[in-house]
Amino acid sequence: MALTEEVKQQIQQSYRDVLAGKDVRARYGQRLMIAEIARYMADITDNDGQRTSPPATCVVEAGTGTGKTLAYLIAAIPVAKALGKTLVISTATVALQDQIVLKDLPDLRKHSKLDFNWTLAKGRGRYLCMSRLESRLHEEGHGDNESMSLFLLDNPVDDEAASRITFEKMLATYGSREWDGDRDHWPEQIPDDIWRQVTTDHRQCTNRHCAYFDSCAFFDARKDLDDADVVVANHDLVLADLALGGGAILPEPENALFIFDEAHHLPEKALNHFAASVPLNATRQWLKQLSQALVKMQPWLPASSQAVKAVEKISTSGRDLDIALGRVYEEVEQNTGWDFNEERRSAQWRYPDGELPDALAELAADTRIVTAGLVRHLGTLADELQSAFDERKDPELDRDTADAWYPVIGAFHSRAEEQLRLWAAWCEPSAATPPEGEAGTAPAVRKGPPPARWSVRQRWDHAEDIALFSSPVLADNLLYSRLWSRAYGAVLTSATLTALGRFDRLRSRAGLPEASRYLVVPSSFRYAEMATVEVPAMPALPTDDGFGEALIKRLPDLWAGEKATLVLFTSRRQMQLVRDALAPDYPELILTQDDMAKNEVLRQHCSRVDVGKPSVLFGVASFAEGIDLPGKYLHHVVITRLPFSVPDDPIEASLAEWVTQRGGNPFMEITVPDASIKLVQAVGRLLRTEQDTGRVTILDRRIVSRRYGQLLLDALPPFRRIIEY
């Protein structure tokens, strides 16, 4: 659309109003970003609401201090409203999602004359299911105590009494409206094995037929979605919606303007979302649970009903699948070059070029057929159970039976579908095959690397298992065909979108359209005046055996005299070894991110600093990006080791293999750019406001002793450098 004069005026006036209302001055980078996003949206052409211009994205790298959230909100909300499109803002972290919903959007509406509403969208699995909670607390009713407890055998809970106390507390706080049923708003961290028992998915939820529908946390949170001008979601939810075809959960991509904040996470999230796995022995145990559930369910089903026939077919498919899995296990166990040693209790095998041995490929094809039959028959049984909720029909099953068994069969159905994804992925041709576009369309996609396929053999004291895995290696075709080619418009922003000063890495990994536009917004920070980056002399490199001891000796000197220090490790094991060695000599000084929930670790750190005590935080990757400690709460960031990826990661290894076959250098094309992004993010913990000062110390001498080190050093903000030789 041509950006009308009215919309331009609205954007400009809103910005002036916010600056005046908050009594702050305009930031050059923020103004630049507002103008770039508005220009990008102005270039989109449409016909009757459907985009006619070529697919394109707007990519803006904007560092800390730019005020990018306000910039994209002010630029995009007036345009989205004028177009009649929904603005979907997607983040990678819950913290940013909550900040936008609870602070940034209310702030904008308060200080500007923009008229808009918004809602928060999260997946069903983030919300309490009252039906599941009630069944866990009471374990009574028609079939419940047998069927539901059987379903929970997947993950037995160690302490039933403690979990019951938690469930009772959940019921009380949700009933009194002290808690809204959102897992992220519960005051403590809820372990996965506890939470899994009281949430649900779309295969188990009975929707309007549930007795708790009117007080359902999930549907209560979602009821405003259709009427919202702005929907705040996360990358996982956007990808889940795209996997369902788009428009199942969120607005259809064609009717949405997307803003992807923390966009550097999107390609990796897409890979995770479209990966698949099957643990063979665990699946055979699961089939036994399915068989036992069917035996207990059968007395409640009318003889000769469709449900009984479905149960018989499921039983047959389950037995056939058990035999097929046994054959696959035997083949993989006996004909794979497993490499175990005394320390490792697991071994990994990656299939080069994604090519399976002929015998294994044949077994995978057989297993796919049997699994597809199981999925189909479970779906039939689920449909029969669901029909009992429809009072307009004359169902064969009674409502109580359906209430008790629909969630159970739904869970089995969902798990079987997940398994089918692996077998389908293993049976695809190894040459990269792009996802199908919509009927009659053939989106232009690059030919990329074949999928990564690998197996992992795990040994325990009294058992072992082999798990099979598949994953795309690049998300470019997935994102192009499902998102960029369909979305009305999309803006990607983050503090770290370039690698070694270029957008090439993001462009290739995210499959960004040719017509996309790119901007790096200059920072308002006076880096050389605010901070130093220091590389001290060290007696050992991280690749040397003595590096751990060198860290233990050096770290106390580095935090001496500092009030707030963050020490970042690339290995959790090394972090714990260094902590165990130093903690006795420095009681009540060191906090590691594993000590308690993340927010509590940060709260305790800040509390120490507030009362004048020194505090040292030890963290790994998630602390290198996901924490915000402005001012006095962080004055020194210590990076123990350059953040190179683990060399045995099968997806990275498959990508490296493909790059090598094309005549490239995987270390310089993949490893170094990836490390650069992580290093910039880690360094970015130091300066959070224009008043902050401090220093960064890098203990990995490879940054000055290796040729690639200069590239990594030059990609950092222009701090004053102090390098010991």
Side-chain angles (χ1 to χ4, degrees):
M1 80 167 204
L3 200 61
T4 65
E5 198 58 40
E6 183 183 355
V7 173
K8 280 185 196 172
Q9 290 294 329
Q10 206 174 13
I11 292 171
Q12 293 165 359
Q13 188 59 48
S14 298
Y15 190 46
R16 286 193 290 266
D17 290 344
V18 170
L19 295 176
K22 293 169 70 75
D23 194 23
V24 294
R25 58 186 177 82
R27 303 179 193 180
Y28 173 69
Q30 196 173 52
R31 289 166 52 199
L32 209 61
M33 187 170 172
I34 292 170
E36 180 70 6
I37 294 172
R39 275 197 297 269
Y40 158 73
M41 292 183 173
D43 287 345
I44 300 172
T45 59
D46 70 8
N47 180 25
D48 197 23
Q50 295 301 300
R51 176 175 52 76
T52 55
S53 49
T57 62
C58 176
V59 183
V60 183
E61 180 176 272
T64 306
T66 303
K68 58 180 174 290
T69 309
L70 179 62
Y72 63 63
L73 290 176
I74 281 183
I77 289 175
V79 175
K81 287 207 70 175
L83 289 167
K85 304 294 182 186
T86 305
L87 182 64
V88 177
I89 299 170
S90 178
T91 74
T93 60
V94 170
L96 180 55
Q97 200 176 33
D98 284 345
Q99 178 194 309
I100 291 169
V101 168
L102 301 175
K103 180 179 178 293
D104 296 326
L105 286 166
D107 224 29
L108 176 60
R109 191 163 67 179
K110 175 183 176 183
H111 294 296
S112 74
K113 296 184 177 67
L114 291 175
D115 178 24
F116 63 94
N117 57 22
W118 65 89
T119 190
L120 175 66
K122 294 183 186 179
R124 198 185 305 255
R126 304 306 296 180
Y127 293 96
L128 173 75
C129 170
M130 272 298 294
S131 178
R132 292 288 298 275
L133 176 62
E134 194 249 0
S135 71
R136 294 305 296 133
L137 281 171
H138 299 297
E139 296 258 306
E140 63 187 16
H142 185 61
D144 264 3
N145 70 336
E146 289 185 327
S147 62
M148 290 304 284
S149 59
L150 182 70
F151 163 57
L152 292 164
L153 284 178
D154 270 21
N155 297 88
V157 180
D158 293 332
D159 191 343
E160 287 287 350
S163 61
R164 184 172 185 85
I165 291 169
T166 302
F167 295 150
E168 288 173 346
K169 187 177 177 184
M170 285 178 174
L171 182 65
T173 54
Y174 187 67
S176 64
R177 297 192 176 275
E178 295 172 61
W179 178 47
D180 60 0
D182 185 330
R183 180 179 183 177
D184 301 310
H185 297 160
W186 187 254
E188 299 117 32
Q189 202 166 26
I190 306 175
D192 287 344
D193 60 341
I194 298 288
W195 182 252
R196 197 178 290 114
Q197 298 178 59
V198 293
T199 190
T200 191
D201 64 24
H202 74 287
R203 286 293 185 207
Q204 300 171 63
C205 176
T206 55
N207 290 296
R208 298 183 180 277
H209 303 302
C210 176
Y212 295 100
F213 179 77
D214 290 336
S215 59
C216 176
F218 171 67
F219 285 105
D220 193 48
R222 296 287 300 283
K223 63 187 177 186
D224 298 326
L225 199 60
D226 291 341
D227 300 322
D229 300 310
V230 180
V231 174
V232 182
N234 57 53
H235 300 346
D236 287 318
L237 190 63
V238 171
L239 291 163
D241 186 56
L242 295 174
L244 293 170
I249 307 169
L250 299 168
E252 292 178 344
E254 291 81 0
N255 293 316
L257 282 168
F258 289 93
I259 306 279
F260 291 99
D261 205 337
E262 302 172 314
H264 58 283
H265 285 292
L266 192 61
E268 183 185 355
K269 291 268 188 186
L271 290 183
N272 291 340
H273 197 82
F274 291 98
S277 65
V278 167
L280 298 174
N281 279 342
T283 300
R284 297 182 76 182
Q285 287 297 317
W286 173 82
L287 287 170
K288 289 179 183 175
Q289 294 177 25
L290 171 59
S291 176
Q292 292 165 14
L294 296 176
V295 169
K296 292 179 178 177
M297 179 184 185
Q298 223 153 0
W300 306 105
L301 306 177
S304 302
S305 64
Q306 290 299 314
V308 165
K309 293 174 184 175
V311 166
E312 291 169 356
K313 291 177 180 177
I314 293 167
S315 299
T316 302
S317 290
R319 287 192 295 271
D320 292 345
L321 181 55
D322 183 64
I323 293 168
L325 292 172
R327 289 174 180 156
V328 173
Y329 192 97
E330 184 179 352
E331 172 65 28
V332 177
E333 180 189 38
Q334 294 181 4
N335 296 307
T336 303
W338 301 113
D339 180 22
F340 284 100
N341 58 39
E342 291 181 10
E343 291 182 9
R344 293 174 59 190
R345 306 191 75 174
S346 70
Q348 177 179 285
W349 180 266
R350 184 179 65 86
Y351 300 95
D353 296 321
E355 289 281 2
L356 302 178
D358 290 345
L360 182 55
E362 192 174 323
L363 289 171
D366 293 342
T367 311
R368 177 189 187 179
I369 292 169
V370 180
T371 306
L374 179 64
V375 169
R376 189 168 60 253
H377 301 319
L378 281 166
T380 300
L381 181 55
D383 290 343
E384 287 298 312
L385 289 165
Q386 190 174 40
S387 68
F389 299 122
D390 193 341
E391 296 170 357
R392 295 168 299 177
K393 294 182 180 177
D394 184 21
E396 293 181 309
L397 308 180
D398 65 85
R399 174 67 184 257
D400 286 345
T401 298
D403 272 331
W405 286 99
Y406 181 79
V408 183
I409 298 304
F412 282 120
H413 189 203
S414 183
R415 175 91 173 253
E417 285 182 320
E418 289 173 15
Q419 294 163 15
L420 182 58
R421 283 177 56 203
L422 181 279
W423 299 114
W426 267 39
C427 291
E428 284 179 0
S430 61
T433 305
E436 293 178 7
E438 295 202 22
T441 68
V445 290
R446 317 171 180 80
K447 182 176 180 182
R453 292 172 179 147
W454 70 101
S455 50
V456 175
R457 188 174 176 185
Q458 185 83 34
R459 288 175 173 168
W460 297 277
D461 289 338
H462 304 292
E464 70 170 56
D465 203 352
I466 294 173
L468 312 180
F469 297 86
S470 177
S471 171
V473 169
L474 290 176
D476 54 349
N477 287 333
L478 290 166
L479 289 172
Y480 183 89
S481 62
R482 295 169 189 259
L483 181 56
W484 313 132
S485 66
R486 295 182 57 194
Y488 189 88
V491 175
L492 293 82
T493 187
S494 168
T496 48
L497 291 178
T498 58
L500 304 176
R502 300 167 65 90
F503 285 102
D504 295 4
R505 178 184 180 277
L506 178 71
R507 185 186 293 118
S508 64
R509 295 205 172 198
L512 298 179
E514 292 297 322
S516 297
R517 52 202 296 164
Y518 302 87
L519 174 71
V520 175
V521 173
S523 174
S524 59
F525 288 174
R526 306 172 315 282
Y527 286 109
E529 300 171 27
M530 298 167 73
T532 57
V533 59
E534 304 174 15
V535 185
M538 287 288 285
L541 292 174
T543 50
D544 298 336
D545 290 340
F547 186 68
E549 284 301 316
L551 285 180
I552 291 165
K553 289 179 182 176
R554 191 64 195 252
L555 284 172
D557 294 335
L558 291 172
W559 69 52
E562 298 279 12
K563 287 296 184 187
T565 303
L566 172 64
V567 184
L568 293 170
F569 297 83
T570 59
S571 156
R572 190 170 247 102
R573 184 168 174 268
Q574 187 168 72
M575 176 181 79
Q576 291 164 348
L577 288 172
V578 172
R579 185 268 317 273
D580 292 346
L582 290 171
D585 295 331
Y586 297 92
E588 298 188 9
L589 176 69
I590 301 169
L591 282 166
T592 82
Q593 75 173 82
D594 292 339
D595 290 344
M596 58 205 83
K598 179 178 175 180
N599 288 342
E600 182 59 22
V601 170
L602 298 177
R603 189 194 67 76
Q604 289 199 19
H605 168 78
C606 294
S607 296
R608 287 179 181 179
V609 175
D610 284 338
V611 297
K613 292 181 179 178
S615 182
V616 176
L617 276 176
F618 278 15
V620 287
S622 57
F623 268 38
E625 180 183 358
I627 60 172
D628 187 21
L629 295 168
K632 65 181 180 178
Y633 298 117
L634 184 58
H635 193 258
H636 191 184
V637 175
V638 180
I639 295 166
T640 59
R641 184 177 187 143
L642 295 177
F644 291 122
S645 298
V646 180
D648 63 352
D649 179 272
I651 299 174
E652 294 296 321
S654 297
L655 180 58
E657 181 178 65
W658 181 66
V659 169
T660 301
Q661 289 170 353
R662 294 168 65 241
N665 180 336
F667 183 73
M668 293 306 298
E669 291 183 36
I670 303 169
T671 308
V672 173
D674 286 1
S676 175
I677 283 188
K678 293 173 186 172
L679 190 61
V680 170
Q681 287 165 351
V683 166
R685 297 314 93 211
L686 182 66
L687 303 180
R688 309 305 295 170
T689 73
E690 293 183 12
Q691 289 72 47
D692 290 354
T693 58
R695 61 183 177 136
V696 174
T697 300
I698 300 174
L699 298 179
D700 189 337
R701 292 286 300 180
R702 290 177 295 178
I703 201 164
V704 291
S705 66
R706 299 287 188 269
R707 281 191 304 167
Y708 60 77
Q710 192 65 46
L711 296 172
L712 295 173
L713 204 52
D714 290 345
L716 295 179
F719 298 123
R720 190 162 54 87
R721 297 179 184 177
I722 302 173
I723 298 172
E724 290 182 20
Y725 290 99

PDB file of all heavy atoms in Angstrom, residues 620-643:
ATOM      1  N   VAL A 620      26.039 -20.585  31.917  1.00  0.00           N
ATOM      2  CA  VAL A 620      26.380 -21.143  30.604  1.00  0.00           C
ATOM      3  C   VAL A 620      25.573 -20.398  29.540  1.00  0.00           C
ATOM      4  O   VAL A 620      25.228 -19.237  29.728  1.00  0.00           O
ATOM      5  CB  VAL A 620      26.156 -22.671  30.559  1.00  0.00           C
ATOM      6  CG1 VAL A 620      27.233 -23.396  31.346  1.00  0.00           C
ATOM      7  CG2 VAL A 620      24.779 -23.066  31.060  1.00  0.00           C
ATOM      8  N   ALA A 621      25.249 -21.064  28.430  1.00  0.00           N
ATOM      9  CA  ALA A 621      24.723 -20.368  27.247  1.00  0.00           C
ATOM     10  C   ALA A 621      23.516 -19.477  27.525  1.00  0.00           C
ATOM     11  O   ALA A 621      23.447 -18.351  27.038  1.00  0.00           O
ATOM     12  CB  ALA A 621      24.374 -21.394  26.170  1.00  0.00           C
ATOM     13  N   SER A 622      22.536 -19.958  28.302  1.00  0.00           N
ATOM     14  CA  SER A 622      21.315 -19.165  28.489  1.00  0.00           C
ATOM     15  C   SER A 622      21.579 -17.879  29.273  1.00  0.00           C
ATOM     16  O   SER A 622      20.853 -16.904  29.124  1.00  0.00           O
ATOM     17  CB  SER A 622      20.237 -19.995  29.197  1.00  0.00           C
ATOM     18  OG  SER A 622      20.701 -20.474  30.434  1.00  0.00           O
ATOM     19  N   PHE A 623      22.641 -17.863  30.101  1.00  0.00           N
ATOM     20  CA  PHE A 623      22.999 -16.631  30.795  1.00  0.00           C
ATOM     21  C   PHE A 623      23.839 -15.716  29.907  1.00  0.00           C
ATOM     22  O   PHE A 623      24.016 -14.541  30.213  1.00  0.00           O
ATOM     23  CB  PHE A 623      23.763 -16.941  32.087  1.00  0.00           C
ATOM     24  CG  PHE A 623      22.875 -17.049  33.300  1.00  0.00           C
ATOM     25  CD1 PHE A 623      21.635 -17.648  33.202  1.00  0.00           C
ATOM     26  CD2 PHE A 623      23.269 -16.561  34.539  1.00  0.00           C
ATOM     27  CE1 PHE A 623      20.809 -17.758  34.318  1.00  0.00           C
ATOM     28  CE2 PHE A 623      22.455 -16.660  35.653  1.00  0.00           C
ATOM     29  CZ  PHE A 623      21.216 -17.262  35.539  1.00  0.00           C
ATOM     30  N   ALA A 624      24.371 -16.265  28.815  1.00  0.00           N
ATOM     31  CA  ALA A 624      25.147 -15.440  27.895  1.00  0.00           C
ATOM     32  C   ALA A 624      24.234 -14.581  27.021  1.00  0.00           C
ATOM     33  O   ALA A 624      24.692 -13.686  26.329  1.00  0.00           O
ATOM     34  CB  ALA A 624      26.021 -16.321  27.007  1.00  0.00           C
ATOM     35  N   GLU A 625      22.929 -14.863  27.056  1.00  0.00           N
ATOM     36  CA  GLU A 625      22.012 -14.079  26.234  1.00  0.00           C
ATOM     37  C   GLU A 625      20.804 -13.569  27.006  1.00  0.00           C
ATOM     38  O   GLU A 625      20.383 -12.442  26.839  1.00  0.00           O
ATOM     39  CB  GLU A 625      21.524 -14.922  25.053  1.00  0.00           C
ATOM     40  CG  GLU A 625      20.564 -14.160  24.174  1.00  0.00           C
ATOM     41  CD  GLU A 625      20.008 -14.996  23.044  1.00  0.00           C
ATOM     42  OE1 GLU A 625      20.399 -16.165  22.917  1.00  0.00           O
ATOM     43  OE2 GLU A 625      19.161 -14.476  22.300  1.00  0.00           O
ATOM     44  N   GLY A 626      20.258 -14.384  27.880  1.00  0.00           N
ATOM     45  CA  GLY A 626      18.907 -14.103  28.356  1.00  0.00           C
ATOM     46  C   GLY A 626      18.784 -13.332  29.651  1.00  0.00           C
ATOM     47  O   GLY A 626      17.742 -13.408  30.296  1.00  0.00           O
ATOM     48  N   ILE A 627      19.808 -12.605  30.082  1.00  0.00           N
ATOM     49  CA  ILE A 627      19.670 -11.891  31.348  1.00  0.00           C
ATOM     50  C   ILE A 627      19.934 -10.397  31.159  1.00  0.00           C
ATOM     51  O   ILE A 627      20.671  -9.993  30.270  1.00  0.00           O
ATOM     52  CB  ILE A 627      20.598 -12.453  32.448  1.00  0.00           C
ATOM     53  CG1 ILE A 627      22.061 -12.369  32.047  1.00  0.00           C
ATOM     54  CG2 ILE A 627      20.237 -13.893  32.761  1.00  0.00           C
ATOM     55  CD1 ILE A 627      23.021 -12.729  33.157  1.00  0.00           C
ATOM     56  N   ASP A 628      19.317  -9.595  32.015  1.00  0.00           N
ATOM     57  CA  ASP A 628      19.424  -8.136  31.939  1.00  0.00           C
ATOM     58  C   ASP A 628      19.790  -7.614  33.324  1.00  0.00           C
ATOM     59  O   ASP A 628      18.965  -7.616  34.234  1.00  0.00           O
ATOM     60  CB  ASP A 628      18.087  -7.559  31.465  1.00  0.00           C
ATOM     61  CG  ASP A 628      18.162  -6.062  31.205  1.00  0.00           C
ATOM     62  OD1 ASP A 628      19.284  -5.552  30.997  1.00  0.00           O
ATOM     63  OD2 ASP A 628      17.107  -5.399  31.215  1.00  0.00           O
ATOM     64  N   LEU A 629      21.046  -7.194  33.477  1.00  0.00           N
ATOM     65  CA  LEU A 629      21.536  -6.712  34.774  1.00  0.00           C
ATOM     66  C   LEU A 629      22.147  -5.325  34.581  1.00  0.00           C
ATOM     67  O   LEU A 629      23.362  -5.173  34.428  1.00  0.00           O
ATOM     68  CB  LEU A 629      22.583  -7.686  35.343  1.00  0.00           C
ATOM     69  CG  LEU A 629      22.075  -9.083  35.709  1.00  0.00           C
ATOM     70  CD1 LEU A 629      23.236 -10.025  35.976  1.00  0.00           C
ATOM     71  CD2 LEU A 629      21.149  -9.023  36.921  1.00  0.00           C
ATOM     72  N   PRO A 630      21.309  -4.290  34.567  1.00  0.00           N
ATOM     73  CA  PRO A 630      21.827  -2.943  34.290  1.00  0.00           C
ATOM     74  C   PRO A 630      22.564  -2.343  35.482  1.00  0.00           C
ATOM     75  O   PRO A 630      22.419  -2.780  36.627  1.00  0.00           O
ATOM     76  CB  PRO A 630      20.553  -2.153  33.976  1.00  0.00           C
ATOM     77  CG  PRO A 630      19.470  -2.858  34.745  1.00  0.00           C
ATOM     78  CD  PRO A 630      19.859  -4.312  34.745  1.00  0.00           C
ATOM     79  N   GLY A 631      23.350  -1.301  35.190  1.00  0.00           N
ATOM     80  CA  GLY A 631      23.978  -0.490  36.230  1.00  0.00           C
ATOM     81  C   GLY A 631      24.881  -1.270  37.158  1.00  0.00           C
ATOM     82  O   GLY A 631      25.728  -2.058  36.740  1.00  0.00           O
ATOM     83  N   LYS A 632      24.660  -1.091  38.456  1.00  0.00           N
ATOM     84  CA  LYS A 632      25.542  -1.670  39.480  1.00  0.00           C
ATOM     85  C   LYS A 632      25.456  -3.193  39.553  1.00  0.00           C
ATOM     86  O   LYS A 632      26.298  -3.839  40.181  1.00  0.00           O
ATOM     87  CB  LYS A 632      25.193  -1.087  40.842  1.00  0.00           C
ATOM     88  CG  LYS A 632      23.783  -1.455  41.332  1.00  0.00           C
ATOM     89  CD  LYS A 632      23.471  -0.844  42.688  1.00  0.00           C
ATOM     90  CE  LYS A 632      22.065  -1.212  43.157  1.00  0.00           C
ATOM     91  NZ  LYS A 632      21.765  -0.668  44.500  1.00  0.00           N
ATOM     92  N   TYR A 633      24.435  -3.781  38.902  1.00  0.00           N
ATOM     93  CA  TYR A 633      24.236  -5.229  39.025  1.00  0.00           C
ATOM     94  C   TYR A 633      25.179  -6.049  38.142  1.00  0.00           C
ATOM     95  O   TYR A 633      25.220  -7.265  38.258  1.00  0.00           O
ATOM     96  CB  TYR A 633      22.785  -5.589  38.720  1.00  0.00           C
ATOM     97  CG  TYR A 633      21.817  -4.946  39.685  1.00  0.00           C
ATOM     98  CD1 TYR A 633      20.870  -4.035  39.250  1.00  0.00           C
ATOM     99  CD2 TYR A 633      21.880  -5.241  41.057  1.00  0.00           C
ATOM    100  CE1 TYR A 633      19.992  -3.428  40.147  1.00  0.00           C
ATOM    101  CE2 TYR A 633      21.011  -4.642  41.953  1.00  0.00           C
ATOM    102  CZ  TYR A 633      20.073  -3.734  41.490  1.00  0.00           C
ATOM    103  OH  TYR A 633      19.206  -3.139  42.375  1.00  0.00           O
ATOM    104  N   LEU A 634      25.925  -5.378  37.263  1.00  0.00           N
ATOM    105  CA  LEU A 634      26.946  -6.095  36.489  1.00  0.00           C
ATOM    106  C   LEU A 634      27.997  -5.104  36.001  1.00  0.00           C
ATOM    107  O   LEU A 634      27.686  -4.165  35.269  1.00  0.00           O
ATOM    108  CB  LEU A 634      26.327  -6.825  35.286  1.00  0.00           C
ATOM    109  CG  LEU A 634      27.299  -7.687  34.481  1.00  0.00           C
ATOM    110  CD1 LEU A 634      27.953  -8.753  35.355  1.00  0.00           C
ATOM    111  CD2 LEU A 634      26.600  -8.347  33.302  1.00  0.00           C
ATOM    112  N   HIS A 635      29.230  -5.350  36.430  1.00  0.00           N
ATOM    113  CA  HIS A 635      30.322  -4.452  36.047  1.00  0.00           C
ATOM    114  C   HIS A 635      31.434  -5.189  35.321  1.00  0.00           C
ATOM    115  O   HIS A 635      32.314  -4.566  34.728  1.00  0.00           O
ATOM    116  CB  HIS A 635      30.878  -3.757  37.297  1.00  0.00           C
ATOM    117  CG  HIS A 635      31.775  -2.599  36.981  1.00  0.00           C
ATOM    118  ND1 HIS A 635      33.153  -2.675  37.056  1.00  0.00           N
ATOM    119  CD2 HIS A 635      31.485  -1.339  36.551  1.00  0.00           C
ATOM    120  CE1 HIS A 635      33.674  -1.509  36.702  1.00  0.00           C
ATOM    121  NE2 HIS A 635      32.690  -0.686  36.402  1.00  0.00           N
ATOM    122  N   HIS A 636      31.405  -6.522  35.361  1.00  0.00           N
ATOM    123  CA  HIS A 636      32.507  -7.293  34.778  1.00  0.00           C
ATOM    124  C   HIS A 636      31.961  -8.595  34.195  1.00  0.00           C
ATOM    125  O   HIS A 636      31.324  -9.373  34.899  1.00  0.00           O
ATOM    126  CB  HIS A 636      33.556  -7.593  35.864  1.00  0.00           C
ATOM    127  CG  HIS A 636      34.842  -8.147  35.326  1.00  0.00           C
ATOM    128  ND1 HIS A 636      35.872  -8.546  36.146  1.00  0.00           N
ATOM    129  CD2 HIS A 636      35.276  -8.380  34.057  1.00  0.00           C
ATOM    130  CE1 HIS A 636      36.876  -8.987  35.406  1.00  0.00           C
ATOM    131  NE2 HIS A 636      36.538  -8.896  34.139  1.00  0.00           N
ATOM    132  N   VAL A 637      32.188  -8.813  32.904  1.00  0.00           N
ATOM    133  CA  VAL A 637      31.818 -10.075  32.245  1.00  0.00           C
ATOM    134  C   VAL A 637      33.106 -10.814  31.910  1.00  0.00           C
ATOM    135  O   VAL A 637      33.980 -10.277  31.224  1.00  0.00           O
ATOM    136  CB  VAL A 637      31.000  -9.832  30.956  1.00  0.00           C
ATOM    137  CG1 VAL A 637      30.746 -11.155  30.233  1.00  0.00           C
ATOM    138  CG2 VAL A 637      29.675  -9.153  31.284  1.00  0.00           C
ATOM    139  N   VAL A 638      33.213 -12.049  32.415  1.00  0.00           N
ATOM    140  CA  VAL A 638      34.384 -12.882  32.139  1.00  0.00           C
ATOM    141  C   VAL A 638      33.954 -14.021  31.212  1.00  0.00           C
ATOM    142  O   VAL A 638      33.060 -14.803  31.552  1.00  0.00           O
ATOM    143  CB  VAL A 638      34.989 -13.461  33.434  1.00  0.00           C
ATOM    144  CG1 VAL A 638      36.206 -14.337  33.109  1.00  0.00           C
ATOM    145  CG2 VAL A 638      35.378 -12.342  34.396  1.00  0.00           C
ATOM    146  N   ILE A 639      34.559 -14.114  30.051  1.00  0.00           N
ATOM    147  CA  ILE A 639      34.262 -15.173  29.084  1.00  0.00           C
ATOM    148  C   ILE A 639      35.415 -16.163  29.133  1.00  0.00           C
ATOM    149  O   ILE A 639      36.548 -15.830  28.769  1.00  0.00           O
ATOM    150  CB  ILE A 639      34.068 -14.591  27.674  1.00  0.00           C
ATOM    151  CG1 ILE A 639      32.829 -13.691  27.667  1.00  0.00           C
ATOM    152  CG2 ILE A 639      33.931 -15.701  26.631  1.00  0.00           C
ATOM    153  CD1 ILE A 639      32.706 -12.795  26.469  1.00  0.00           C
ATOM    154  N   THR A 640      35.140 -17.363  29.621  1.00  0.00           N
ATOM    155  CA  THR A 640      36.226 -18.317  29.852  1.00  0.00           C
ATOM    156  C   THR A 640      36.714 -18.949  28.557  1.00  0.00           C
ATOM    157  O   THR A 640      37.888 -19.312  28.446  1.00  0.00           O
ATOM    158  CB  THR A 640      35.766 -19.439  30.805  1.00  0.00           C
ATOM    159  OG1 THR A 640      34.640 -20.117  30.230  1.00  0.00           O
ATOM    160  CG2 THR A 640      35.395 -18.866  32.162  1.00  0.00           C
ATOM    161  N   ARG A 641      35.823 -19.075  27.570  1.00  0.00           N
ATOM    162  CA  ARG A 641      36.170 -19.829  26.369  1.00  0.00           C
ATOM    163  C   ARG A 641      35.337 -19.329  25.197  1.00  0.00           C
ATOM    164  O   ARG A 641      34.159 -18.993  25.373  1.00  0.00           O
ATOM    165  CB  ARG A 641      35.884 -21.311  26.631  1.00  0.00           C
ATOM    166  CG  ARG A 641      36.270 -22.253  25.524  1.00  0.00           C
ATOM    167  CD  ARG A 641      36.006 -23.691  25.944  1.00  0.00           C
ATOM    168  NE  ARG A 641      36.521 -24.631  24.941  1.00  0.00           N
ATOM    169  CZ  ARG A 641      37.082 -25.793  25.242  1.00  0.00           C
ATOM    170  NH1 ARG A 641      37.212 -26.161  26.503  1.00  0.00           N
ATOM    171  NH2 ARG A 641      37.516 -26.586  24.291  1.00  0.00           N
ATOM    172  N   LEU A 642      35.910 -19.266  24.006  1.00  0.00           N
ATOM    173  CA  LEU A 642      35.137 -18.866  22.831  1.00  0.00           C
ATOM    174  C   LEU A 642      34.014 -19.872  22.593  1.00  0.00           C
ATOM    175  O   LEU A 642      34.233 -21.085  22.682  1.00  0.00           O
ATOM    176  CB  LEU A 642      36.047 -18.797  21.599  1.00  0.00           C
ATOM    177  CG  LEU A 642      37.138 -17.723  21.645  1.00  0.00           C
ATOM    178  CD1 LEU A 642      38.023 -17.813  20.411  1.00  0.00           C
ATOM    179  CD2 LEU A 642      36.548 -16.326  21.780  1.00  0.00           C
ATOM    180  N   PRO A 643      32.807 -19.383  22.279  1.00  0.00           N
ATOM    181  CA  PRO A 643      31.624 -20.272  22.249  1.00  0.00           C
ATOM    182  C   PRO A 643      31.474 -21.039  20.932  1.00  0.00           C
ATOM    183  O   PRO A 643      30.494 -20.872  20.199  1.00  0.00           O
ATOM    184  CB  PRO A 643      30.470 -19.293  22.469  1.00  0.00           C
ATOM    185  CG  PRO A 643      30.956 -18.008  21.885  1.00  0.00           C
ATOM    186  CD  PRO A 643      32.436 -17.961  22.135  1.00  0.00           C
TER     187      PRO A 643
END
